Amino acid sequence: MSGSSAKSARRPSLNPLEHLFAKQRREGLVTETGSVTPTMKRVKIACDALAGVPIPPGRHVRIQINDPLSLYGILRPSETLRTYSVWDHSEASGEFEIRAHLYEGDGIGLTWVRDVKEGEQISFWGPLGDFDLQPDTPYHLFVGDETAAAAFGPMIRALGPDARVYGLLESETADNVVPVPGDHPMTRVHRHGASAVSSSVLLKALSAMDLPDEPGVAYVAGEARTGQAVRNHLVNERSWPRTQVKVKPFWTPGKRGLHH
């Protein structure tokens, strides 16, 4: 190799972000899509690189909608990637499933979920995240809205039928109830047009829940302000240690790039 050729081969990328985005980037093929509820869609994705790779419950992937290394992506980074919880994963084949809430609006994530079809190639990052189960606890409490159910399902499945599990899940109507695995007691409440932001419906139901006197571990997900209110209730009204309330904001008005 000539000196000029060697120098060219060693030349770094002009984009300083490339090495950051290259980490954990994977390619996948959409193998199946379908409806879970009128407002939730499931998407199965095959990825050979995830065969033999365990994915703990509560993890997510970040799917590329627009190229983050393009000029558009650098100028508008919030309009490139969207985050989705991993609902299920076959360690043998590498295929995994995400479930996405079809919220109202016209964002890039909503457009992708609505339009994605079998046979499409996608790029994604992950699995990522730290929304982990805490095994050493008297019981587990799951609180959230429709978007949270996509993360809660695999976590509840992993706990198994013998775990002490309580759940409070909110949806717009009974038609939008997202099924979760197992036969654990799940309190279901419906907004019927009330706001999901700082949800008074969810807070009222939580206040009325009959929980054991001793605290467990709470996993709270969904709208950000509602999650803060749930944590404040458990800490201030029920004297739970703050460290035993895990809050994961999936969405909030005016902020893009969270879970869907």
Side-chain angles (χ1 to χ4, degrees), residues 83-181:
T83 304
Y84 301 96
S85 296
V86 176
W87 173 265
D88 202 4
H89 170 239
S90 168
E91 191 171 335
S93 68
E95 185 177 59
F96 64 96
E97 179 179 323
I98 62 170
R99 294 192 170 185
H101 180 55
L102 301 173
Y103 58 93
E104 294 183 1
D106 58 357
I108 62 167
L110 177 62
T111 300
W112 179 81
V113 170
R114 284 177 172 169
D115 295 345
V116 67
K117 293 179 176 60
E118 180 180 336
E120 291 187 20
Q121 296 277 351
I122 66 163
S123 298
F124 68 94
W125 282 259
L128 307 166
D130 57 1
F131 199 41
D132 295 324
L133 289 167
Q134 184 170 318
D136 298 325
T137 181
Y139 63 94
H140 305 263
L141 171 65
F142 293 87
V143 183
D145 59 20
E146 300 97 323
T147 64
F152 290 168
M155 297 172 80
I156 293 171
R157 185 193 305 124
L159 288 170
D162 297 329
R164 293 179 69 192
V165 174
Y166 299 84
L168 171 58
L169 296 178
E170 177 191 81
S171 60
E172 174 59 24
T173 68
D175 292 335
N176 307 121
V177 167
V178 181
V180 294

Side-chain angles (χ1 to χ4, degrees), residues 141-145 168 170 198-199 201-207 209 218-238 240 242 245-247:
L141 171 65
F142 293 87
V143 183
D145 59 20
L168 171 58
E170 177 191 81
S198 299
S199 174
V201 173
L202 193 68
L203 264 294
K204 181 178 179 180
L206 178 61
S207 298
M209 281 190 76
Y219 311 90
V220 185
E223 197 276 317
R225 297 176 209 174
T226 304
Q228 293 171 359
V230 168
R231 179 176 56 198
N232 290 340
H233 169 81
L234 292 173
V235 172
N236 299 330
E237 304 298 326
R238 297 195 186 235
W240 283 44
R242 184 173 289 267
V245 183
K246 299 176 176 289
V247 180

Side-chain angles (χ1 to χ4, degrees), residues 26-44:
R26 307 182 194 275
E27 303 298 322
L29 177 70
V30 176
T31 57
E32 185 180 334
T33 68
S35 296
V36 180
T37 73
T39 56
M40 180 164 283
K41 185 174 180 179
R42 60 183 177 84
V43 181
K44 288 189 176 182

